Amino acid sequence: MPAKTVNVAVAGLGFMGVTHLRAYQQIGNARIVAVCNAGRLPVNGVLHAVNGNIAHTADVHLGKDVKVYREFDALIADREVELVDICTPTVPHSAHAIAALKAGKHTLCEKPLAQNVFEARQVLKTAAISEKFLMPAMCMRFWPGWAWLKEIVAQKMYGEVQAANFRRVTAKPAWGKAGAHAGGALLDLHIHDTDFVNYLFGRPASVFSTGMIDAEGTVNHVVTQYFYPGGPVVHAEGSWLLPAGFNMSFTLHCERATIDFDLSRGRKALRLQESGKESCTVKLKKTDGYNEEIRYFVNCIARGIKPSVVTGQDGLTALEICAAEEKSVRTGMAVKL
């Protein structure tokens, strides 16, 4: 039988909102029925391009039948909407997620799930009594070249992991109003790698972080060592200190191979070097983590299967680890989890 069509509304029409809209347009059983934003809105059914850290988006042609809201409460009151995709700035994430779940909507929420651990726990309490699905949009779990690592680590394809490092650096985001990026680079950027470390290796026993704190008091550069007693040596760097541009990379050292990813290499981003063999390029799917996570969530809703690749608890755990990292940066001490 054909897949059930899911009616979608996207709240927040900045770079991430535009990125998500383009992903929904590529999914046959997703139908965009509404959008919401306080300021920038479609004009005659066309949402104009916006710059972001991965790429420059093209105009999004939504068509004149897509409903346009300025108020989030009006959006979630729309009975036609089944899935609300929250791409608003960080500060209202938890309030928007709670409101959407209470309104009986499946909810996809951009990272971070909330601006702090307490608020994230409130979201999970609401989700626990809701019949609808909640999924934090932790896109690296779906990213080509990264998602593959989960299988490698779980199946020990090249032996035990001995060491791993992750790096995610960009210029400070220019979009959004003052205060839109509560949590600085730590929660806007570095949380991706913190979540991915937890995805691969589980919750660390403790963290030790150093970093730079900007004039507003937020962490805009962080380097973290995640401690796994008897396990691999793992660290990650996240930064808003680049003058321009964006890059992300990882290196995973296993007993019988090293896997290396660098976005700047384009289609040759992923390299594999096995012991005794020449290094080779691993072909990647022509997609990205945004498209794959959204396709996954839509299909979960269509089939009535609760998401498992990433859960609300994963969103909370990432925030708990990041909170420990921030405490470590501010105190100069290792912090237990």
Side-chain angles (χ1 to χ4, degrees):
M1 295 181 65
K4 175 185 179 294
T5 297
V6 177
N7 290 338
V8 177
V10 175
L13 301 179
F15 170 70
M16 196 52 60
V18 169
T19 300
H20 283 207
L21 285 169
R22 291 174 63 82
Y24 286 115
Q25 289 182 326
Q26 297 177 51
I27 300 172
N29 60 323
R31 175 174 171 254
I32 302 167
V33 298
V35 295
C36 177
N37 201 60
R40 204 174 79 92
L41 294 169
V43 177
N44 295 323
V46 178
L47 185 63
H48 293 300
V50 63
N51 285 320
N53 57 1
I54 299 292
H56 179 80
T57 64
D59 291 350
V60 178
H61 293 261
L62 297 170
K64 296 181 180 180
D65 292 334
V66 171
K67 287 170 279 188
V68 176
Y69 295 98
R70 289 186 180 273
E71 300 293 335
F72 188 78
D73 287 348
L75 177 75
I76 61 175
D78 188 330
R79 293 185 179 182
E80 191 177 21
V81 173
E82 298 173 274
L83 161 60
V84 174
D85 186 332
I86 299 169
C87 295
T88 54
T90 295
V91 173
H93 276 188
S94 60
H96 284 166
I98 288 170
L101 288 165
K102 286 184 175 179
K105 312 299 185 185
H106 297 290
T107 303
L108 180 68
C109 184
E110 255 304 325
K111 55 76 195 160
L113 184 59
Q115 62 178 337
N116 57 55
V117 170
F118 173 79
E119 290 183 2
R121 288 175 179 162
Q122 299 306 114
V123 176
L124 263 62
K125 286 181 180 179
T126 303
I129 59 175
S130 172
E131 296 180 354
K132 303 302 179 179
F133 299 155
L134 166 71
M135 192 177 98
M138 308 303 295
C139 64
M140 298 317 300
R141 295 187 180 213
F142 300 87
W143 206 277
W146 295 65
W148 181 51
L149 289 188
K150 180 64 174 178
E151 181 180 357
I152 287 172
V153 172
Q155 297 185 10
K156 300 181 181 180
M157 292 174 62
Y158 301 107
E160 297 284 353
V161 178
Q162 297 177 320
N165 67 77
F166 302 85
R167 185 170 184 262
R168 188 173 307 270
V169 293
T170 187
K172 187 174 182 179
W175 61 85
K177 298 178 181 178
H181 296 282
L186 183 67
L187 294 188
D188 182 72
L189 184 78
H190 177 71
I191 193 171
H192 279 303
D193 293 311
T194 291
D195 173 70
F196 200 75
V197 166
N198 179 60
Y199 184 48
L200 291 184
F201 306 115
R203 191 183 182 95
S206 61
V207 295
F208 177 71
S209 304
T210 56
M212 297 291 294
I213 300 173
D214 65 17
E216 297 175 349
T218 56
V219 178
N220 63 6
H221 181 91
V222 59
V223 178
T224 295
Q225 183 84 44
Y226 306 86
F227 291 104
Y228 292 94
V233 176
V234 183
H235 71 272
E237 175 187 7
S239 182
W240 270 357
L241 299 184
L242 280 186
F246 170 82
N247 196 35
M248 61 184 184
S249 62
F250 69 72
T251 302
L252 198 76
H253 297 289
C254 302
E255 291 177 296
R256 299 189 299 275
T258 291
I259 304 117
D260 180 78
F261 178 99
D262 190 323
L263 184 68
S264 67
R265 294 197 293 252
R267 297 299 298 170
K268 297 181 179 180
L270 186 59
R271 303 283 296 174
L272 170 66
Q273 184 163 9
E274 297 182 67
S275 299
K277 299 182 180 180
E278 292 187 6
S279 177
C280 65
T281 298
V282 179
K283 291 184 178 180
L284 299 173
K285 291 176 63 178
K286 293 182 179 180
T287 184
D288 60 38
Y290 305 125
N291 287 331
E292 294 304 303
E293 73 179 353
I294 288 170
R295 186 180 303 277
Y296 171 76
F297 191 51
V298 167
N299 284 333
C300 283
I301 294 169
R303 297 171 183 171
I305 301 172
K306 192 173 184 178
S308 59
V309 174
V310 56
T311 66
Q313 180 60 51
D314 293 324
L316 171 59
T317 298
L319 277 166
E320 289 174 335
I321 300 172
C322 282
E325 292 180 65
E326 181 173 3
K327 183 177 180 180
S328 183
V329 169
R330 296 186 186 280
T331 63
M333 304 288 289
V335 176
K336 291 183 178 180
L337 287 153

